[in-house]
Amino acid sequence: TDEGVPIEDALSGEMLRRRPELCWKYLAQIGQAAMGSTFNTGHRVLAEMEDHFAHTCVLTQNIDGYHRAAGSRNVIEIHGNMHSLLCTQCPFEESLDTMDKVSIPPLCPECGAVLRPDVVLFGEMLPAEKIERLYAELDAGFDAVFAIGTTAVFPYIMQPVLLGKELGWMTVEINPAESRVSHVVDLRLPLRAAVALEAIWERVGSGD
């Protein structure tokens, strides 16, 4: 960071409590990037798959909200969503479409406390309800698991692939670079997500 602080420390729950203006300086940059763009072909294809197959679920580490914007409904945003702000002291919350008018740090209009994005910051625990929902989805079972554009360094991202392999589900990785699950999957496509998903979807639509 400009201040010489590691970005992981700047974007931590501890920094939000201790120096909210520093934490929010970089949260706002992330928010502006996320809200200044939109979903791509890969997000759209995954959303369309939800209407085509009996059951799908998107587990994402991303906090940009693009999967929901593209139309996916059954989404587990394991790290949260940058578009939602919560008060650190009272029940106030609001949704944002832009970061342009957000003060650094933003303060609650009800109680004056610092607001925070509804995301998991470094050093914080994952929401228990989202982990439970992930387990419930995995218990229900799938025919196939796709690992798309992730290094899969977190155990909860690797788990669906490893479980799928153990249970005989089809496992596929879409990623130009190798990851922690590259040696595990049945099929590896070293392509960008949008390119690979669009090609797969064309095949599905044609009946191949």
Side-chain angles (χ1 to χ4, degrees):
T1 64
D2 297 337
E3 295 78 11
V5 178
I7 191 64
E8 293 86 354
D9 292 342
L11 294 173
S12 67
E14 173 63 24
M15 189 64 75
L16 181 66
R17 290 186 292 273
R18 189 160 50 88
R19 295 183 60 189
E21 75 287 348
L22 175 59
C23 184
W24 260 105
K25 174 181 176 180
Y26 296 99
L27 285 173
Q29 291 179 11
I30 295 172
Q32 287 169 351
M35 297 176 193
S37 188
T38 188
F39 60 87
N40 63 27
T41 300
H43 299 93
R44 177 184 57 77
V45 168
L46 291 175
E48 291 179 4
M49 285 182 175
E50 191 166 353
D51 293 326
H52 183 85
F53 297 111
H55 181 72
T56 68
C57 178
V58 174
L59 169 69
T60 181
Q61 299 166 254
N62 296 338
I63 60 174
D64 49 35
Y66 291 168
H67 285 291
R68 293 190 185 280
S72 288
R73 299 179 297 279
N74 192 22
V75 182
I76 302 175
E77 294 173 314
I78 199 74
H79 289 169
N81 190 315
M82 194 68 197
H83 291 259
S84 298
L85 292 188
L86 310 175
C87 181
T88 54
Q89 296 294 331
C90 80
F92 176 82
E93 58 182 85
E94 67 175 334
S95 296
L96 296 179
D97 293 325
T98 178
M99 282 281 178
D100 293 343
K101 297 181 180 180
V102 173
S103 60
I104 306 296
L107 301 178
C108 177
E110 300 291 336
C111 72
V114 173
L115 297 178
R116 62 164 293 154
D118 187 16
V119 301
V120 179
L121 299 174
F122 285 96
E124 294 182 331
M125 299 290 290
L126 293 172
E129 66 274 12
K130 293 185 179 180
I131 293 293
E132 292 172 3
R133 187 176 162 203
L134 171 59
Y135 288 156
E137 290 285 353
L138 293 176
D139 286 343
F142 293 92
D143 296 315
V145 176
F146 286 74
I148 304 171
T150 176
T151 56
V153 295
F154 295 115
Y156 48 88
I157 298 298
M158 292 180 63
Q159 185 179 12
V161 177
L162 298 179
L163 179 64
K165 187 69 175 179
E166 179 182 341
L167 296 178
W169 305 345
M170 179 70 174
T171 56
V172 182
E173 179 180 42
I174 299 174
N175 199 337
E178 292 193 357
S179 75
R180 296 286 184 88
V181 298
S182 296
H183 67 289
V184 174
V185 295
D186 299 310
L187 177 63
R188 182 170 189 279
L189 303 177
L191 301 168
R192 293 180 61 83
V195 173
L197 287 170
E198 186 170 29
I200 290 170
W201 199 227
E202 288 176 356
R203 289 288 190 92
V204 171
S206 65
D208 291 346

